[in-house]
């Protein structure tokens, strides 16, 4: 079974009121994600990045996605599509979550990923998926980072070293 991971499609990045709103890139990505989701037929899992203010892991980036703020809310345009949502407190969505057991229970073997922060959440979650034996595809036009250079580096790492396919 295939599953689609929608990473960090939340106000922090996509809302004009978000603390790290991505501007024109956000508006383009919202259209692309909406189009992709409208044709996808399989299981869809949304992920939200959530930082605790006291979490020293994010000491250099305590500007966004602070727990209990509007930043962590899935962007309104996706609300009707969210059936399953997971919070992640690290870049790797498997860290301290039940994600692995949920995927095994659902007999998921391949994961397609779209969303935000290619160089962090998408990269590190793709690595964990590959380490656990899942096939992974990244739909690059539906992935973005705040930093284009880092986005390109992450795509290169995933395709050249992790065996991630581009879709």
């Amino acid at each position: 079974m295939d599953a689609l991971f929608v990473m960090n499609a939340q106000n922090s990045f996509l809302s004009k009121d978000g603390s790290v709103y991505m501007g024109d890139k956000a508006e383009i990505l919202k259209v692309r994600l909406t189009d992709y989701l409208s044709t996808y037929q399989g299981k869809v899992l949304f992920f939200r990045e959530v930082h605790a203010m006291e979490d020293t892991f994010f000491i250099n980036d305590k500007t966004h996605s602070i727990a209990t703020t509007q930043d962590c809310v899935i962007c309104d345009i996706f609300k009707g599509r969210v059936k399953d949502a997971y919070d992640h407190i690290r870049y790797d969505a498997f860290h301290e979550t039940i994600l692995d057991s949920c995927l095994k229970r659902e007999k998921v073997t391949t994961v397609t990923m779209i969303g935000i922060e290619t160089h962090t959440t998408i990269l590190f979650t793709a690595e964990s998926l590959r380490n656990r034996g899942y096939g992974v595809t990244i739909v690059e036009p539906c992935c973005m980072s705040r930093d284009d250079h880092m986005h390109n580096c992450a795509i290169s790492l995933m395709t050249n070293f992790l065996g991630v396919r581009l879709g």
Side-chain angles (χ1 to χ4, degrees), residues 51-63 91:
H51 303 181
M53 188 56 105
E54 65 277 1
D55 189 346
T56 58
F57 184 82
F58 294 101
I59 197 76
N60 293 328
D61 199 10
K62 279 197 182 228
T63 60
Y91 299 132

Side-chain angles (χ1 to χ4, degrees), residues 1-3 43 102-104 106-111 134:
M1 177 206 260
D2 189 34
K43 184 166 187 62
C102 292
L103 295 177
K104 287 177 181 170
E106 296 286 329
K107 298 184 180 0
V108 171
T109 57
T110 58
V111 173
Y134 295 95

Side-chain angles (χ1 to χ4, degrees), residues 10 21 25 34 37 45 48-49 52 73-74 93 99 107 112 120 137 141 167:
Q10 61 198 65
Y21 174 60
K25 287 167 50 171
T34 301
L37 285 165
L45 304 173
R48 298 183 310 172
E49 182 176 297
V73 175
I74 299 291
L99 180 57
K107 298 184 180 0
T112 300
T120 56
T137 299

Side-chain angles (χ1 to χ4, degrees), residues 39-155:
T39 62
Y40 188 81
Q41 299 298 315
K43 184 166 187 62
V44 179
L45 304 173
F46 278 78
F47 292 83
R48 298 183 310 172
E49 182 176 297
V50 179
H51 303 181
M53 188 56 105
E54 65 277 1
D55 189 346
T56 58
F57 184 82
F58 294 101
I59 197 76
N60 293 328
D61 199 10
K62 279 197 182 228
T63 60
H64 70 288
S65 302
I66 303 301
T68 72
T69 68
Q70 282 298 109
D71 262 8
C72 296
V73 175
I74 299 291
C75 192
D76 284 343
I77 63 169
F78 305 115
K79 290 245 185 202
R81 301 180 189 280
V82 180
K83 291 183 180 74
D84 292 311
Y86 294 87
D87 291 346
H88 63 93
I89 62 170
R90 294 290 185 268
Y91 299 132
D92 176 359
F94 283 89
H95 180 78
E96 293 186 10
T97 68
I98 59 168
L99 180 57
D100 197 31
S101 61
C102 292
L103 295 177
K104 287 177 181 170
R105 183 178 62 244
E106 296 286 329
K107 298 184 180 0
V108 171
T109 57
T110 58
V111 173
T112 300
M113 297 178 74
I114 60 177
I116 298 166
E117 295 298 75
T118 316
H119 68 290
T120 56
T121 302
I122 293 172
L123 170 63
F124 289 100
T125 302
E127 182 206 12
S128 275
L129 285 161
R130 293 296 295 135
N131 285 339
R132 288 170 168 81
Y134 295 95
V136 178
T137 299
I138 303 296
V139 182
E140 186 177 9
C142 292
C143 296
M144 286 189 184
S145 292
R146 290 179 280 164
D147 181 314
D148 292 336
H149 173 73
M150 294 301 289
H151 166 85
N152 292 331
C153 289
I155 293 294

